[in-house]
């Protein structure tokens, strides 16, 4: 019979037998008719029992083809026995056809080994539910009777025969998922033991020189193995108790001998020749992974885990179980390491390490596979396993009932102990069983290791039919759609896993529970909060109780919000601060109807609030002074910084409505506080730009516009106040921004460096004009810095001629006279960033025309001035660095920091600004780009300087956002440093990488500065 031709249709007409077959689920009835008329199946074409049985399989066409191949391959006597048994024994019929309809690979096995169908004829209880010893006997018998083959091939054939029986029981519904997975793990352990026995027979000297135990890890250790999976193991060895006539064997010789046995065992299971691989034996979970020795002594294992092991290695050990070899040594291994496993949750950054490992797993999935991943993707099996293991490690320290390596058993224990709600546990149990069953069916088809949902219609139809009992809804009309709906339903449920498993029980611990409901004990709740990274679990519990207890609508909504909010807080550098700030905002706004409605109905607003409240002190401090600013977090455009014109219009309107000068300036400061929060929140949430340099420039522009508008409003208020008391102001006033203010490079903690210039009106006495200008500018500075609930704006005029010793305000003519006679090189340098920002525009423009010849001198910079500038720079480096500060991490005057870059750029501006218009800018990065474009600086050098300036500026911004006060060095406190690192895009536990990257970047910048600035 030529099987290759069976896929062709017999014509376009459909016969009555074909119609009967179509009704039973056949998709190629013409081929089915031919097969039923072929050798071995003659006389069965009209057997309704057989046809109905085929119709209940996952793929009737595949089942019939497999049956035909089996009958064709069997000898005549066995063929008759099979036909008779098939038609008279429903158990065999269901098991055999179930396997043939679901697995091409097992159908191929039966075609090669047709006598193995007898393994499906079961009469005894141990055949229905075999244990490890039953599998060992079956494998040993297969190796013993497979004399015509090599022992390795005989083992593989015997393994496949046992696998056939497991699959038959699974597909016919005799066993459930948990029992099937346990049997697969038991079969794996029996196979490892049989392979070890064969290795011992091949190398008896090695066997005599050591004791070897094989520790099952992963799903094998947890007795929840897949049909096709690597089998994870760890090998541990010891010298034998006695060695007759030869004296004791030392540990080194014992490890060498055990390594030979372990390698032979691995080859026997993993070799791809002959009958093919059983499965790969993977020992990469051992200490040091693939770089470590394959076999270690027990003492060596213990020493490694005591000194070097990472958190994930203890998580892996949770499933460790002796599966083969020396049982006493295996038990000693587990007993020695178990105490360390159950103390892993006390390690620093424990939860962060586990969460980061989960994120790495997701990030490693190819983009084309994310939506098809049953195991690793979001809402997949690994989500359930990771969360269950996390809870086990946290609470298993004090509750031995949780110490199971099996996911479903552990989930049930967590539910019984009140660590997971009963309804949540039941839902997750169902999701886990469905996803694992789906994974099993996919792997069974070709016995290939995969966790991806297929895309072919035929494959999906077969899966849907095989899982009909697990799918809610009708699978007959459109089985593929029903399967997809069920899968997505479970995936969505699992995506809520962290909230359900980790955070909701914390609320149950502090809220009023219905009678008889199980909840976390206070000690268990504190343990969970501590593991999540909360430094003060007792205080956190008090905050939760204050927010969620009671029967009010507010408490009910908070109980809905808090689980996911707690997750966002825990994912930050300072969860305690996030929760405390949330309580304070909720206390202030809890009775405001729109507040809780906004957070409940707008998930983005709730997440934004959580991120902002836990990212540092600046944004929360600004928000707590006027909590109604929360509303902008729910507006898609609410975090976009506003332009100068809009800010100035609002501030001037608020100033005009105020009843006094102080009230007017307070109104301007109030607007500034709100807009500071808007910019800070947008910055924390990454809404200012995708590129860090772009975000930095956007923040600098926003803060500059805000301070300029505030100064304009305050100046208008102070002038109006003076005029209300004294009459018309006898002079015009302009405010000139200097330093980072003039450069549009302000940070959150920057002062407003300015110069004040005035010009008396015609007919006014110079003395009266100067006195009025002095009074107005003094009052402006005082009111903007006065103690208040609003953040101060410190106006610094120390860059004026003669510094603090000189008058606060000068006329334009006085500035001209001073600069003509007394100006120093450093003052010309300071004027490079001078820009009018408030007051009389025409006067400001004239001031700019006055200083342009000074900052862009026509003949460049004389050599004596260059020497003076370099001398001042060197003196600042030597004398201005704070005592105890690290020059390699001081962002302002440290090595390669802001001053290094800015002074270098400004030197080029002084020398070439008169001839290159691109250099006539107050912005450092723009001037640097212009210098590079003109060939004054090499492109590579310019990129190095730009990178250092951007990084130093971002670090300063991060320090202010995290600490709530300015600073030029990295914080010394670990949580604050972690917050700075998070802002700069570094993950939890990677603060050291940030400091290393900063030092490397600024070291390169300093080398460029040494060449370009100092020559």
């Amino acid at each position: 019979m030529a099987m290759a031709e069976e896929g062709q249709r017999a014509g376009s007409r459909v016969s009555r037998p074909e119609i009967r077959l179509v009704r039973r689920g056949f998709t190629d009835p013409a081929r089915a008719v031919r097969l039923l008329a072929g050798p071995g199946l003659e006389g069965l074409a009209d057997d309704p029992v057989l046809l109905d049985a085929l119709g209940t399989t996952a793929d009737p066409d595949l089942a019939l083809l497999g049956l035909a191949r089996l009958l064709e391959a069997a000898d005549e006597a066995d063929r008759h026995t099979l036909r008779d048994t098939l038609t008279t024994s429903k158990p065999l019929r269901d098991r055999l056809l179930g396997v043939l309809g679901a697995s091409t690979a097992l159908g191929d096995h039966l075609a090669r080994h047709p006598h193995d169908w007898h393994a499906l004829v079961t009469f005894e209880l141990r055949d229905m539910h075999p244990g490890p010893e039953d599998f060992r006997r079956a494998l040993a018998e297969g190796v013993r009777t497979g004399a015509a083959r090599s022992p390795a091939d005989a083992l593989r054939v015997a393994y496949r025969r046992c696998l056939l029986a497991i699959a038959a029981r699974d597909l016919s519904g005799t066993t459930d998922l948990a029992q099937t997975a346990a049997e697969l793990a038991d079969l794996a352990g029996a196979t490892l033991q049989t392979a070890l026995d064969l290795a011992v027979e091949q190398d008896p000297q090695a066997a005599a020189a050591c004791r070897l135990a094989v520790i099952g890890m992963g799903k094998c250790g947890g007795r929840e193995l897949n049909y096709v999976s690597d089998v994870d193991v760890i090998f541990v060895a010891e010298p034998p108790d006695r060695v007759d006539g030869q004296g004791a064997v030392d540990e080194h010789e014992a490890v060498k001998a055990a390594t030979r046995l372990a390698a032979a065992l691995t080859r026997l299971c993993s070799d791809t020749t002959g009958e093919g691989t059983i499965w790969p034996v993977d020992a990469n979970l051992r200490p040091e992974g693939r770089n470590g020795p394959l076999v270690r002594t027990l003492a060596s294992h213990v020493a490694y885990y005591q000194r070097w092991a990472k958190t994930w290695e203890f998580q892996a050990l949770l499933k460790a179980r002796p599966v083969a070899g020396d049982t006493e040594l295996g038990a000693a291994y587990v007993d020695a390491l178990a105490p360390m496993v159950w103390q892993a949750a006390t390690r620093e950054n424990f939860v962060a390490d586990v969460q980061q490992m989960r994120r790495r797993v997701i990030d490693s999935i190819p983009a084309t596979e994310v939506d098809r991943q049953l195991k690793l993707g979001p809402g997949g099996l690994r989500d359930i396993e990771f969360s269950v293991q996390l809870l086990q490690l946290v609470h298993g320290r004090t509750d031995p009932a949780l110490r199971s390596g099996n996911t479903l058993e552990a989930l049930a224990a967590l539910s019984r102990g009140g660590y997971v709600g009963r309804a949540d546990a039941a839902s997750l149990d169902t999701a886990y069983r469905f996803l694992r069953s789906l994974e099993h069916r996919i792997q069974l088809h070709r016995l290939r290791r995969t966790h991806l949902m297929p895309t072919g219609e035929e494959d999906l139809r077969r899966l849907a039919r095989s899982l009909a009992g697990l799918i809610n809804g009708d699978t007959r009309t459109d089985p593929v759609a029903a399967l997809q709906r069920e899968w997505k339903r479970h995936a969505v449920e699992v995506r809520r896993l962290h909230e359900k498993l980790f955070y909701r029980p914390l609320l149950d611990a502090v809220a009023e529970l219905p009678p008889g409901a199980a909840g976390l004990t206070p000690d268990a709740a504190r343990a969970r909060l501590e593991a999540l990274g909360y430094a003060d679990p007792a205080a956190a519990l008090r905050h939760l109780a204050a927010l969620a207890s009671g029967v009010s609508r507010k408490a009910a909504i908070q109980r809905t919000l808090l689980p996911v909010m707690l997750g966002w807080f825990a994912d930050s550098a300072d969860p305690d601060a996030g929760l405390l700030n949330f309580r304070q905002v909720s206390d202030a706004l809890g009775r405001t109807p729109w507040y809780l409605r906004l957070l409940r109905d707008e998930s983005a607003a709730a997440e934004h609030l959580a991120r902002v409240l836990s990212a540092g002190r600046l944004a929360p401090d600004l928000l707590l002074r006027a909590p109604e600013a929360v509303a902008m977090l729910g507006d898609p455009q609410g975090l976009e910084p506003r332009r100068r014109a809009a800010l100035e219009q609002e501030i001037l309107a608020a100033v005009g409505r105020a009843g006094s000068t102080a009230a007017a300036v307070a109104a301007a400061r109030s607007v500034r506080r709100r807009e500071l929060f808007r910019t800070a929140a947008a910055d924390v949430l990454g809404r200012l730009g995708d590129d860090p340099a772009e975000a930095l420039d956007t923040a600098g522009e926003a803060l500059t516009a805000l301070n300029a508008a505030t100064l304009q409003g305050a100046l208008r208020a102070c002038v109006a106040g003076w005029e209300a008391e004294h009459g018309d102001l006898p002079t015009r006033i302009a405010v000139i921004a200097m330093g980072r203010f003039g450069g549009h490079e302000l940070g959150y903690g920057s002062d407003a460096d300015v110069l004040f210039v005035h010009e008396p009106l015609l007919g006014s006495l110079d003395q009266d004009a100067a006195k009025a200008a002095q009074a107005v500018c003094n009052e402006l500075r005082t009111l903007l810095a006065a103690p208040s609930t609003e953040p101060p704006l410190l106006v610094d005029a120390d860059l004026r001629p003669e510094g603090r010793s000189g008058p606060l305000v000068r006329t334009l003519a006085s500035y001209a006279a001073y600069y003509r006679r007394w100006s120093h090189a450093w003052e010309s340098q300071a004027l490079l960033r001078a820009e009018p920002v408030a007051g009389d525009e025409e006067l400001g423009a004239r001031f700019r025309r006055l200083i342009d010849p000074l900052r862009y001198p026509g003949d460049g910079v004389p050599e004596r001035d260059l020497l003076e500038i370099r001398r001042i720079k060197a003196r600042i480096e030597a004398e201005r660095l704070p005592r105890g500060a690290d020059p390699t991490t001081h962002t302002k005057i440290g090595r390669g920091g802001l001053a290094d870059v800015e002074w270098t750029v400004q030197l080029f501006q002084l020398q070439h600004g008169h001839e290159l218009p691109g250099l006539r800018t107050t912005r450092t990065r723009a001037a640097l780009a212009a210098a590079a474009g003109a060939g004054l600086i090499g492109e590579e050098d310019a990129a190095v300087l730009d990178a250092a300036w951007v990084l130093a500026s971002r670090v300063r911004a991060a320090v202010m956002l995290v600490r709530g006060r300015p600073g030029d060095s990295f914080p010394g406190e670990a949580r604050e440093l972690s917050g700075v690192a998070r802002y700069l895009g570094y993950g939890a536990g990677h603060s050291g990488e940030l400091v290393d990257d900063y030092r490397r970047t600024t070291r390169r910048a300093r080398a460029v500065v040494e060449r370009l600035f100092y020559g």
Side-chain angles (χ1 to χ4, degrees), residues 531-593:
L532 280 166
Y534 287 84
D536 190 350
L541 282 175
R542 290 195 298 272
H543 299 325
L544 291 177
L547 288 163
S549 294
V551 295
S552 67
R553 178 177 174 275
K554 172 186 172 183
I557 296 177
Q558 290 284 23
R559 285 194 290 272
T560 301
L561 289 171
L562 273 168
V564 69
M565 299 287 283
L566 283 170
W568 288 323
F569 294 147
D571 197 33
S572 72
D574 195 349
D576 298 80
L579 181 56
L580 171 60
N581 291 331
F582 181 65
R583 179 185 175 184
Q584 291 175 328
V585 171
S586 295
D587 286 348
L589 293 177
R591 297 184 183 277
T592 307

Side-chain angles (χ1 to χ4, degrees), residues 151-236:
D153 274 350
L155 175 60
R156 291 166 192 162
V157 172
Y159 172 84
R160 195 62 62 90
R161 186 183 305 120
C162 293
L163 190 68
L164 174 70
I166 293 174
R169 291 190 292 273
D170 176 15
L171 291 164
S172 62
T174 304
T175 56
D176 65 1
L177 169 77
Q179 179 63 28
T180 299
E183 289 182 10
L184 289 168
D186 289 343
L187 175 58
T191 305
L192 290 168
Q193 183 61 57
T194 306
L196 180 58
D197 293 341
L198 290 173
V200 167
E201 291 179 11
Q202 296 169 3
D203 193 348
Q205 289 183 333
C210 68
R211 299 165 61 201
L212 175 64
V214 184
I215 310 299
M217 303 289 286
K219 286 184 167 57
C220 179
R223 294 190 78 231
E224 50 190 9
L225 197 61
N226 290 335
Y227 276 102
V228 186
S229 174
D230 293 353
V231 172
D232 297 309
V233 300
I234 286 177
F235 296 107
V236 58

Side-chain angles (χ1 to χ4, degrees), residues 267-291:
R267 284 194 301 273
L268 284 166
C269 295
S270 307
D271 197 357
T272 58
T273 60
E275 288 286 337
T277 301
I278 299 177
W279 20 247
V281 175
D282 188 345
N284 287 335
L285 289 178
R286 66 186 184 269
E288 300 180 74
R290 64 185 62 190
N291 296 320

Side-chain angles (χ1 to χ4, degrees), residues 371-389:
D371 293 335
R372 297 170 55 207
Q373 262 284 355
L374 293 172
K375 178 181 179 181
L376 304 179
L381 289 161
R382 189 56 59 86
D383 270 349
I384 301 175
E385 294 164 352
F386 262 59
S387 296
V388 168
Q389 291 164 22

Side-chain angles (χ1 to χ4, degrees), residues 730 760-766 768-769:
L761 298 176
L762 290 175
S764 300
L765 296 176
D766 290 351
D768 292 342

